[in-house]
């Protein structure tokens, strides 16, 4: 098992180097010299050269890439063109807000979708099944930023129950979390249902039933444990979408997270912040995917057996 | 001479006819299964209506006077018999803008998926067919692309290339390419070892021709299902980018930018936000229904 974790950690290095290069390449496509943005129109050619050197903007894309990776390995993700603050520090200040939002959204999604998926599978083709499938299809088809606006309209403006934006304690996280959770809950409901349908008629469940195990225990223990593997996989894959999707939800709710940091930085053409925030978010997603794979290996004894030999 | 000619051509024509028959019967079987699926038929019906509205938008409304022209005396009028969905902050008819907006959303959804299909299927099919180090390199690059959250990558691309409808299509297309690389590779791997591929190789057919003539037509169903579902996601992604101000530039009536503009008036004129969102949801729902129906019809084993 340790070998597996070590191998996966090693594989993460080229992926992250590639990610940095792609983000670097995309940001390099932006027209205009960013140094003018920092120096202003009045700067002389010598001043511009000196500033270019100071900001790490001199040389071709490869030189700048290697310099960036070298600095990154020392924890230096550059300085914002706009706020002149350390990108790493700014990101770390915003990260807890996004983690809070993403975690609550994931909890809501699990709490709603797994029971709904189980009910749909156990009562296949019934009214309950149809209702949960229609709900999940609507959840998948609804843009989450629109749902966010509707939630603000109903719960903040009409009923006045919850704040419409900003971060002012637990009440302010409910609507953004519901917004981020909607798509994930819809997808997890469908995955849980189809995964449960796969295992629900297996022989070992018939055996359990014939031994007199209660139906509740058969579903919750025998069936769900085996159905969990695809659910965990989807959950891991979707973490990336939750972080990405939260950029829109954070904008709708003026939530001070990393998604909004990226959107604001892009609008201000603050390249170091965009690059740094994208690189760090991707690192986070990759690490979470690695953890999911390890959990996956623990949950499924067959996978665990491959690595404990 | 004539008899000889007939003798040699007959088996070929029989084979051709049987091939055509097989293709037709497979299509008929899929269609027969699809039309039993009420959801898919509903989806198809909605999509046809949305597409017809998009095509005939200039017949129903005038782009210059109803969609673009500002009419301050008519601003923020609630839904009425004259303006079914009300008017926006610049006095423009919301329904007219939604109908014209269908042109943008459908075009962006379809073109961006075509972009990702071209790159995704080319690299995915080549990786699956060639295998070895080439496959490893392609799949590692795909891994790298998929580790960046797709909406953030699309945001970065469109901000680097500049705001325009085409750049939006490229951004959404590039960010969904990894999915097609994976689907195409998996599909090619599933048929690569088949006898008909080996026979084609044995008679000296070129690799690209084998992929194009023998392998891809046998994987096309899986790719179509994925493409339909991706068009739905591309419409949501492009509306999201426009919502952030990174999509189709004003005054074009894109659904996402209409939502963004309506946000400021949500308290007293919520119809500015409700109707464009409904348009996105209904269109995406129709594509999801068709995608799900197609998947079940093409591979009934997957049907639940």
């Amino acid at each position: 098992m340790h070998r597996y974790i070590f191998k996966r950690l090693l594989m993460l290095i080229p992926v992250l180097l590639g990610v940095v290069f792609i983000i670097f390449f995309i940001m390099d496509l932006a027209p205009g010299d960013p140094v003018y943005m920092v120096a202003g129109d009045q700067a002389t050619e010598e001043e511009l050269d000196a500033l270019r050197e100071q900001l790490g903007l001199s040389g071709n894309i490869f030189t700048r890439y290697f310099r960036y990776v070298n600095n990154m390995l020392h924890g230096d993700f550059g300085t914002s063109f706009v706020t002149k603050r350390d990108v790493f520090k700014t990101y770390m200040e915003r990260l807890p807000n996004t983690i809070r939002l993403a975690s609550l959204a994931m909890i809501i999604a699990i709490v709603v979708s797994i029971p709904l998926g189980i009910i749909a599978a156990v009562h296949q083709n019934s009214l309950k099944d149809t209702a949960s499938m229609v709900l999940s299809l609507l959840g998948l088809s609804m843009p989450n930023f629109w749902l966010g606006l509707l939630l603000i309209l109903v719960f903040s403006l009409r009923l006045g129950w919850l704040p419409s934006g900003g971060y002012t304690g637990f009440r302010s996280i409910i609507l953004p979390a519901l917004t981020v959770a909607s798509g994930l809950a819809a997808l997890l409901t469908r995955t849980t249902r189809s995964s449960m349908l796969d295992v629900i008629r297996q022989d070992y469940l018939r055996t359990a039933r014939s031994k007199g195990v209660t139906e509740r225990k058969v579903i919750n223990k025998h069936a769900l444990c085996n159905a969990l593997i695809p659910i965990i996989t989807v959950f891991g894959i979707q973490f990336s979408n939750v972080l990405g999707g939260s950029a829109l939800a954070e904008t709708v709710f003026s939530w001070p997270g990393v998604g909004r940091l990226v959107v604001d930085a892009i609008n201000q053409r603050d390249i170091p912040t965009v690059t740094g925030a994208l690189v760090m978010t991707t690192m986070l997603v990759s690490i979470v995917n690695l953890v999911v794979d390890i959990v996956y290996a623990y949950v499924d004894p067959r996978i665990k057996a491959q690595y404990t030999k | 001479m004539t008899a000889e000619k007939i003798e040699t051509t007959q088996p070929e024509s029989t084979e051709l006819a049987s091939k055509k028959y097989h293709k037709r019967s497979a299509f008929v079987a899929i269609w027969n299964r699809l039309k039993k699926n009420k959801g898919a038929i509903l989806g198809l019906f909605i999509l046809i209506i949305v597409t017809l509205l998009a095509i005939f938008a200039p017949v129903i409304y005038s782009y210059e006077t109803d969609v673009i022209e500002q009419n301050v005396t008519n601003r923020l009028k609630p839904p009425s018999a004259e303006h079914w969905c009300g008017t926006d902050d610049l006095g423009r008819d919301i329904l007219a803008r939604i109908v014209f907006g269908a042109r943008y959303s459908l075009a962006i959804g379809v073109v961006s998926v075509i972009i990702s299909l071209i790159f995704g299927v080319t690299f995915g099919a080549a990786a699956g067919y060639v295998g070895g180090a080439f496959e490893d390199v392609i799949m590692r690059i795909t891994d790298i692309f998929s580790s960046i959250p797709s909406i953030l990558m699309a945001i970065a691309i469109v901000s680097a290339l500049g705001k325009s409808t085409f750049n939006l299509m490229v951004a959404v297309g590039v960010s969904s390419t990894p999915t097609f690389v994976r689907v195409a590779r998996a599909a090619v791997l599933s048929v690569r070892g088949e006898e008909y591929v080996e026979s084609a190789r044995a008679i000296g057919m070129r690799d690209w021709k084998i992929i194009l003539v023998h392998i891809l037509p046998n994987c096309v169903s899986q790719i179509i299902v994925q493409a339909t579902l991706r068009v739905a996601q591309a419409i949501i992604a492009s509306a999201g980018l426009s919502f952030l101000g990174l999509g189709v530039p004003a005054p074009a009536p894109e659904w996402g930018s209409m939502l963004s503009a309506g946000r400021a008036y949500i308290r007293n004129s919520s119809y500015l936000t409700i109707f464009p969102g409904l348009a996105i949801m209904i269109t995406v729902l129709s594509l999801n229904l068709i995608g799900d129906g197609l998947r079940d019809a093409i591979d009934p084993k997957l049907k639940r």
Side-chain angles (χ1 to χ4, degrees):
Chain A
M1 196 67 195
H2 289 110
R3 242 182 76 195
Y4 171 69
I5 297 174
F6 182 68
K7 214 174 139 190
R8 287 296 314 267
L9 272 171
L10 270 185
M11 275 162 67
L12 206 63
I13 298 170
V15 170
L16 287 178
L17 289 175
V19 164
V20 179
F21 186 75
I22 287 169
I23 294 168
F24 232 77
F25 180 74
I26 293 172
M27 297 322 290
D28 202 55
L29 293 174
D33 191 344
V35 81
Y36 285 105
M37 218 189 87
V38 184
D41 296 337
Q42 307 299 320
T44 62
E45 203 52 49
E46 288 77 31
E47 283 170 338
L48 288 176
D49 283 342
L51 197 61
R52 212 169 271 134
E53 197 65 45
Q54 188 197 329
L55 295 173
L57 294 168
S58 57
N60 62 27
I61 185 166
F62 295 102
T63 319
R64 281 180 285 131
Y65 168 70
F66 286 115
R67 194 186 299 137
Y68 189 84
V69 170
N70 185 35
N71 290 343
M72 195 180 87
L73 292 174
H74 294 91
D76 177 10
F77 284 81
T79 310
S80 159
F81 284 167
V82 180
T83 59
K84 315 283 182 225
R85 292 190 65 216
D86 185 55
V87 172
F88 181 74
K89 269 189 190 153
T90 313
Y91 187 86
M92 286 304 161
E93 280 167 15
R94 299 285 197 104
L95 188 62
N97 290 333
T98 297
I99 300 269
R100 231 170 261 148
L101 180 60
S103 315
L104 187 63
M106 290 189 133
I107 292 169
I108 294 173
I110 292 173
V111 169
V112 172
S113 64
I114 293 188
L116 215 59
I118 294 175
I119 292 169
V122 172
H123 304 278
Q124 195 189 1
N125 297 330
S126 71
L127 191 68
K128 286 176 190 165
D129 183 20
T130 314
S132 70
M133 284 303 97
V134 169
L135 252 176
S136 63
L137 198 62
L138 283 178
L140 278 183
S141 308
M142 193 183 274
N144 72 0
F145 51 96
W146 183 56
L147 176 70
L149 291 173
L150 294 184
L151 291 174
I152 289 178
L153 181 65
V154 176
F155 294 101
S156 307
L157 302 176
R158 296 277 186 268
L159 300 171
W161 290 353
L162 295 163
S164 65
Y167 182 52
T168 52
F170 182 72
R171 284 175 69 238
S172 63
I173 199 175
I174 298 173
L175 294 185
L178 283 172
T179 304
V180 177
S182 64
L184 181 65
L187 198 69
L188 277 183
T189 306
R190 281 161 74 112
T191 313
T192 307
R193 177 182 179 271
S194 101
S195 184
M196 282 296 280
L197 282 176
D198 271 340
V199 295
I200 218 161
R201 286 181 192 88
Q202 297 280 334
D203 287 344
Y204 58 85
L205 289 196
R206 202 177 303 138
T207 311
R209 281 193 194 99
S210 62
K211 277 186 351 193
V213 179
T214 58
E215 188 61 25
R216 197 185 181 86
K217 210 171 174 189
V218 167
I219 296 298
N220 289 346
K221 191 157 182 273
H222 298 262
L224 187 60
C225 281
N226 285 288
L228 265 182
I229 294 150
I231 300 171
I232 293 174
T233 313
V234 170
F235 193 76
I237 295 167
Q238 286 305 309
F239 181 74
S240 155
N241 286 346
V242 166
L243 276 189
S246 66
L248 281 154
E250 286 177 5
T251 308
V252 171
F253 290 96
S254 311
W255 185 261
V258 291
R260 211 173 128 223
L261 179 72
V262 175
V263 174
D264 289 346
I266 274 174
N267 286 328
Q268 295 164 330
R269 307 208 60 77
D270 186 358
I271 294 171
T273 306
V274 177
T275 313
L278 283 180
V279 168
M280 284 186 269
T281 303
T282 309
M283 276 183 179
L284 195 67
V285 169
S286 305
I287 291 166
V288 169
N289 282 341
L290 175 67
V291 173
V292 167
D293 281 354
I294 294 167
V295 172
Y296 186 101
Y298 267 109
V299 171
D300 192 343
R302 287 164 293 189
I303 300 170
K304 197 176 170 185
Q306 287 173 14
Y307 294 96
T308 44
K309 270 175 199 168
Chain B
M1 179 86 178
T2 328
E4 215 180 286
K5 204 173 180 183
I6 291 170
E7 247 182 45
T8 50
T9 53
Q10 208 157 17
E12 260 180 37
S13 65
T14 322
E15 196 189 324
L16 211 73
S18 106
K19 240 183 188 174
K20 269 186 188 166
Y21 175 76
H22 176 73
K23 272 186 185 166
R24 230 190 81 210
S25 66
F27 175 77
V28 171
I30 290 171
W31 171 244
N32 282 338
R33 283 195 289 268
L34 188 71
K35 68 182 182 192
K36 280 185 203 141
N37 185 328
K38 285 178 200 154
I41 293 301
L42 176 71
L44 205 59
F45 179 70
I46 299 172
L47 189 67
I48 290 171
I49 292 179
V50 175
T51 312
L52 287 177
L53 280 175
I55 294 171
F56 295 106
V59 180
I60 314 169
Y61 293 104
S62 153
Y63 189 74
E64 291 304 322
T65 53
D66 297 320
V67 179
I68 299 291
E69 198 178 79
Q70 301 178 13
N71 181 357
V72 200
T73 53
N74 221 10
R75 69 191 295 265
L76 300 175
K77 288 269 184 332
S80 63
E82 198 187 346
H83 301 287
W84 290 3
C85 297
T87 60
D88 68 3
D89 54 317
L90 298 169
R92 301 171 298 195
D93 187 86
I94 292 174
L95 186 60
R97 289 178 65 76
I98 288 176
V99 169
F100 266 90
R103 301 184 134 208
Y104 284 95
S105 287
L106 288 181
I108 294 168
V110 172
V111 175
S112 61
V113 168
I114 290 174
I115 292 173
S116 37
L117 265 175
I118 292 172
F119 289 108
V121 173
T122 308
F123 287 116
Y129 184 78
V130 177
F134 179 74
E135 184 185 14
D136 279 346
V137 171
I138 297 286
M139 294 325 288
R140 289 302 78 79
I141 295 174
T142 309
D143 283 347
I144 292 170
F145 269 93
S146 15
S147 14
I148 308 173
S150 58
I151 187 88
L152 292 184
M153 180 147 80
I155 289 175
I157 294 174
V158 89
S159 71
L161 298 180
K163 296 173 201 174
S164 80
T165 310
F166 182 71
N167 290 347
L168 181 65
M169 290 168 176
V170 172
V172 176
V174 170
S175 62
S176 50
T177 299
T179 312
F180 286 103
V181 175
R182 291 218 169 88
V183 172
R185 174 179 165 267
V188 169
L189 282 180
S190 70
V191 296
R192 190 176 65 173
E194 295 285 330
E195 279 172 10
Y196 58 84
V197 177
E198 276 176 26
S199 316
R201 219 178 278 145
I203 59 167
M205 209 179 211
R206 283 171 188 272
D207 284 344
W208 64 267
K209 210 173 171 187
I210 297 178
I211 295 178
L212 220 60
V213 178
H214 292 292
I215 294 185
L216 281 183
N218 286 297
C219 310
V220 86
S221 52
Q222 296 166 54
I223 295 167
I224 287 178
V225 171
Q226 200 57 43
T228 317
L229 295 169
R230 284 312 291 197
V231 171
Q233 288 175 24
I235 290 177
I236 294 192
S238 60
L241 289 174
S242 297
F243 182 77
L244 294 174
L246 295 167
V248 183
E254 207 279 337
W255 292 341
S257 41
M258 286 173 73
L259 270 178
S260 173
R263 225 178 120 191
Y265 305 93
I266 192 168
R267 184 181 288 272
N268 297 318
S269 309
S270 52
Y271 47 89
L272 259 73
T273 313
I274 292 173
F275 292 116
L278 265 180
I280 302 174
M281 194 183 82
I282 290 170
T283 311
V284 172
L285 181 70
S286 73
L287 286 158
N288 280 336
L289 283 168
I290 298 170
D292 283 356
L294 269 176
R295 190 186 45 211
D296 293 345
I298 287 168
D299 192 353
K301 279 175 285 178
L302 289 173
K303 198 176 178 191
R304 300 288 178 211

